[in-house]
Amino acid sequence: MNKEPRRRQDVPREDRWNVEALYPNDAAWEADFALTQSLPAQVEAYRGRLAESVETLAAAIRALLDAHRHIEKVYVYAHLRNDEDLGNNTYQVMFDRARSAYIQLSTAGSYFSPELLAIDDATMAEWMETDLIAPYRVWLEDILRGKPYTLSPSEERLMSMASEPLGAISKVFSVLKNVDLAARLPAVQDEEGDEQQLTHASFIRLLESRDRSVRKAAFDAYYAEYKGNRTTNAAILDAGIKSHVFNARARGFSSALAAALFGDNVDVSVYDALIAAVHDALPAFYRYVGLRKRLLGVDDLHLYDAYVSVIPAVEMRFTYDEAVETIRAALQPLGRRYVEVMTEGLTSGWVDRYENVGKRSGAYSSGCYDSMPYILTNYTGTLDAMFTLAHELGHSMHSWHSIQAQPYHLADYRILVAEVASTTNEALLNHHLLQVTEDKAARAYLIDRYLDSFRGTLYRQTMFAEFEKLVHEQVEAGQPLTADGLDATYLQLVKRYFGDQVAFDEQDAPIGWEWSRVDHFFYNFYVYKYATGMSSAIAIASSILNDGDAALQRYLTFLSSGSSKYPLDLLKDAGVDLTTPEPVAAALAEFERLVGELETLVE
């Protein structure tokens, strides 16, 4: 990996995703974008007419869905190009235009739900039985479920129009973090004494250094830049959360949390039960933190020690091609067809592989009904980077299966199940690596890495979920969010989740403003799904490995189901019941078992 990020134009073709498969060039995109200008009028043509007849309703549904399918392709191209270099003004403008067109279409179609809900129940029930409407039954029933929270047509239009300025709040944070703040990050010395430019990707890599002075220098330098932006970030987060509260109250939900969970048909009790279950399992995590402290051989454990492996004799690195081969071997239990498709994708245009100047940090899977899946990653060659690639591949394969099996309006699976396939891939990869590793030190290293995955996914994301809940409740109670108050709330949670094994002296103070770098706090109660997803994935992976073809077929059916059922029902079909405490408790019990195994290996 290069220490200095390349400029986008210097990235080799084989390291880029094949966005040209969507549009061969920007001119082709412009031509298709021009066609989107007529889409709002085509959708608006059915305003006030849905109750005319079943034929009119069917035509309106087709017009609405066809328009959204068209604009999604236009939008995806622009958003992928923009994320290649967030400092590229051409693609910033293109993305803004695509987003505005998307919002204009949403505004034009804002009448649909309230008009649909105004149709007489008996008439609607009769129409639902016809051949014209039957293909849309599941989709329509979900809209009808929202009747208590749907506003009048004029109010829905205003809500749709407001989505653009409200959505700009997260864009402000993203540009500040990924462009302006990123450009000011300093360089620090790495293990060889060379200057290493701090970036969002290199920060974690430096925290994994065996040299404690490198870890501390990266921790201090990175968070020092965030400290200078705390007040601005607090104002942005305050505005973002107020937008969530506004939307919830405008629609009559009891809270922003209830509004966020409604789309997945999940009760608030599931969210609260997750936090309670993790609180109950904190003693096992404290045990793990204490073990890390002992193995690192430090008198005082600090939070810049949280990412480094505690097994010093083992270093694992993989080129991108080696990572692909390892993932391919690990996912053999998912069947020949699954492995063939994923291998082709990882090697032939799905993935934008490495960091470049201005590229969006982190990793994600994206795409639309008429595209291949696309994976953005900033691959660094570490074991974690390989797991991230496997994770995003899980999302992409979930999308691929759903698109193959479902019509457009049912292919986009819901957020609650979005993290299940990705984390199942991680569980299978970890199992494979442990199966082929006999060396005691290497096995301990892998177990520690998996325990760290629990830390990052079950414990850390639940801590994030609790922080989100607390700050939303604060705004709902009429209390403003300030930098100092957010620092205090976040630091208190970090102390609760890590326990007294961490020194929490002045060296750990910067963790108090870690909240100001977390993109997911703008995603409206998204992060809890990582934790429930991991719990579900552990159960599914275990079933596939132990129960054979029947479990695999259940899983492949799950991947192919899109949004044809509600998430909790899909998971029940796959053998996981999140309405009970069993999946989360079982995952946390597995964490405690692995802590015990690691303790035995390092004795």
Side-chain angles (χ1 to χ4, degrees), residues 138-333:
V138 173
W139 182 73
L140 289 171
E141 285 177 345
D142 190 50
I143 297 174
L144 295 170
R145 186 174 66 91
K147 189 169 186 175
Y149 309 107
T150 302
L151 308 176
S152 69
S154 61
E155 290 170 328
E156 286 292 338
R157 182 177 179 84
L158 285 173
M159 292 291 288
S160 181
M161 292 170 64
S163 65
E164 183 169 19
L166 293 178
I169 296 170
S170 62
K171 179 187 174 184
V172 172
F173 172 79
S174 180
V175 172
L176 174 63
K177 174 184 174 180
N178 293 294
V179 180
D180 294 341
L181 188 148
R184 296 194 301 268
L185 288 171
V188 297
Q189 286 191 341
D190 62 17
E191 298 89 337
E192 288 78 35
D194 297 329
E195 289 290 299
Q196 172 73 269
Q197 177 61 46
L198 265 180
T199 67
H200 298 306
S202 69
F203 172 57
I204 299 300
R205 186 167 69 247
L206 290 165
L207 286 184
E208 294 170 345
S209 171
R210 300 301 310 166
D211 188 329
R212 200 181 194 200
S213 66
V214 172
R215 301 199 299 270
K216 185 177 187 304
F219 184 84
D220 290 343
Y222 188 77
Y223 282 117
E225 190 57 50
Y226 278 92
K227 183 178 182 180
N229 290 274
R230 285 166 56 254
T231 302
T232 299
N233 278 328
I236 298 172
L237 184 58
D238 184 54
I241 291 176
K242 282 178 178 174
S243 73
H244 301 162
V245 173
F246 162 75
N247 280 302
R249 287 179 173 172
R251 296 194 175 281
F253 285 96
S254 59
S255 68
L257 176 57
L261 301 186
F262 180 79
D264 288 330
N265 198 23
V266 173
D267 191 80
V268 171
S269 62
V270 173
Y271 193 98
D272 291 338
L274 168 67
I275 294 174
V278 172
H279 283 179
D280 289 342
L282 284 175
F285 188 66
Y286 300 156
R287 178 181 166 192
Y288 170 63
V289 175
L291 177 61
R292 287 183 57 83
K293 179 180 178 180
R294 176 165 66 85
L295 293 176
L296 286 171
V298 297
D299 294 330
D300 292 315
L301 187 70
H302 295 289
L303 290 169
Y304 52 75
D305 299 317
Y307 289 87
V308 63
S309 169
V310 296
I311 310 299
V314 177
E315 293 287 349
M316 290 189 176
R317 298 193 67 83
F318 305 82
T319 66
Y320 180 84
D321 290 339
E322 290 169 343
V324 170
E325 284 305 308
T326 304
I327 294 168
R328 185 175 181 275
L331 300 187
Q332 291 295 321

Side-chain angles (χ1 to χ4, degrees), residues 334 417 419-421 423-425 427-428 532-548 551-552 554-556 558-559 570-576 583:
L334 298 184
V417 297
E419 296 304 330
V420 174
T423 317
T424 296
N425 275 14
L428 292 172
T532 55
M534 184 173 194
S535 301
S536 301
I538 289 171
I540 289 171
S542 176
S543 181
I544 291 171
L545 292 169
N546 296 320
D547 299 337
L552 174 59
R554 287 196 301 270
Y555 181 58
L556 294 177
F558 164 81
L559 293 181
L570 289 173
L571 288 171
K572 285 179 182 178
D573 290 345
V576 178

Side-chain angles (χ1 to χ4, degrees), residues 48-90:
R49 299 180 54 201
L50 298 190
E52 283 182 1
S53 66
V54 66
E55 291 80 11
T56 300
L57 177 59
I61 292 172
R62 289 194 298 271
L64 182 66
L65 294 177
D66 288 348
H68 275 273
R69 182 170 173 177
H70 187 155
I71 197 67
E72 282 177 11
K73 182 180 178 183
V74 169
Y75 179 89
V76 165
Y77 179 89
H79 114 71
L80 295 178
R81 287 300 194 201
N82 182 59
D83 285 354
E84 292 174 352
D85 181 358
L86 292 167
N88 185 315
N89 184 68
T90 297

